Amino acid sequence: FIVGSIALYCFGMMVYAIWSYLAFVGLDKMEWVGSLLYIPHGVRVMAMCYFGYRSIPALFAIEITGPMMVYPEQYFDVWPFASIASLLSVVAACEIVKWSHSNTKGTIFMPINFTNYRSLVLVIVLSGLMNAISANLVTSLLAGIDLSVTVIARFFVGDVIGASVLVLFLSALFTTLRVNRLLVSDK
């Protein structure tokens, strides 16, 4: 458990560092553009789908320490509360998908299996919507910022695109490793 949490934390911080570099250094500090491709949302989704509740401590550590790289002056402002809302949105999306038995292969009575990419896409979209609403609502209530539909839409699109990019990248990476026999597989 501890080794897996440390590995997840290191992977999440690496993704957060890559995203913050792309969003805030590579794009000439156009901060709103960073929300259009929020890759760390993919770490949240994949960790919850594949590792379940065991991943929550590592995800919370990533959510708390990751923003220190980007916003060190706003670290203790409202970020921890928005991070909790973000994590809860992914947990709720996973539970809704499990509860709804929306397995896209077979009958609806089969247990949900997150190795099925269709279920993963459903969690990405649902958690992206819930995160865009809940995290922005928490931030607007605690920081006194006006909330608009365009901001929610921008964060929703960014969560979905960012998580999709991460899933596609990891899928291509592991497929390449498996094809070149650099990764041991059960098959």
Side-chain angles (χ1 to χ4, degrees):
F1 173 75
I2 293 173
V3 173
S5 294
I6 292 171
L8 178 60
Y9 176 78
C10 292
F11 175 72
M13 289 304 290
M14 180 186 70
V15 169
Y16 215 105
I18 291 169
W19 169 78
S20 63
Y21 177 78
L22 291 174
F24 298 103
V25 176
L27 298 174
D28 297 327
K29 295 199 177 240
M30 294 173 54
E31 293 186 6
W32 65 270
V33 176
S35 64
L36 288 176
L37 180 67
Y38 192 67
I39 302 171
H41 183 69
V43 175
R44 284 187 223 137
V45 170
M46 291 184 66
M48 276 304 299
C49 287
Y50 291 112
F51 305 118
Y53 291 109
R54 295 173 296 183
S55 64
I56 289 179
L59 289 174
F60 187 69
I62 293 167
E63 289 288 328
I64 295 300
T65 57
M68 287 175 56
M69 292 189 302
V70 182
Y71 303 113
E73 67 279 350
Q74 298 175 358
Y75 174 64
F76 289 109
D77 194 13
V78 296
W79 198 272
F81 300 109
S83 296
I84 291 171
S86 295
L87 287 177
L88 289 177
S89 68
V90 176
V91 170
C94 285
E95 290 303 317
I96 288 171
V97 169
K98 287 179 187 175
W99 175 75
S100 67
H101 296 288
S102 62
N103 196 349
T104 54
K105 185 167 82 173
T107 67
I108 62 171
F109 300 109
M110 292 176 61
I112 195 76
N113 183 3
F114 283 113
T115 57
N116 182 351
Y117 283 111
R118 294 179 193 143
S119 300
L120 187 63
V121 168
L122 185 59
V123 172
I124 287 172
V125 171
L126 187 59
S127 66
L129 179 63
M130 293 170 72
N131 181 42
I133 294 170
S134 65
N136 283 306
L137 187 63
V138 166
T139 304
S140 70
L141 289 174
L142 294 178
I145 300 170
D146 291 332
L147 184 62
S148 67
V149 175
T150 57
V151 171
I152 291 175
R154 188 177 78 221
F155 277 82
F156 169 67
V157 168
D159 283 352
V160 171
I161 291 174
S164 300
V165 164
L166 184 68
V167 167
L168 290 174
F169 171 75
L170 290 176
S171 176
L173 176 71
F174 287 124
T175 300
T176 304
L177 291 175
R178 192 175 310 118
V179 165
N180 292 327
R181 298 179 193 259
L182 299 173
L183 181 70
V184 178
S185 177
D186 319 6
K187 296 178 181 179

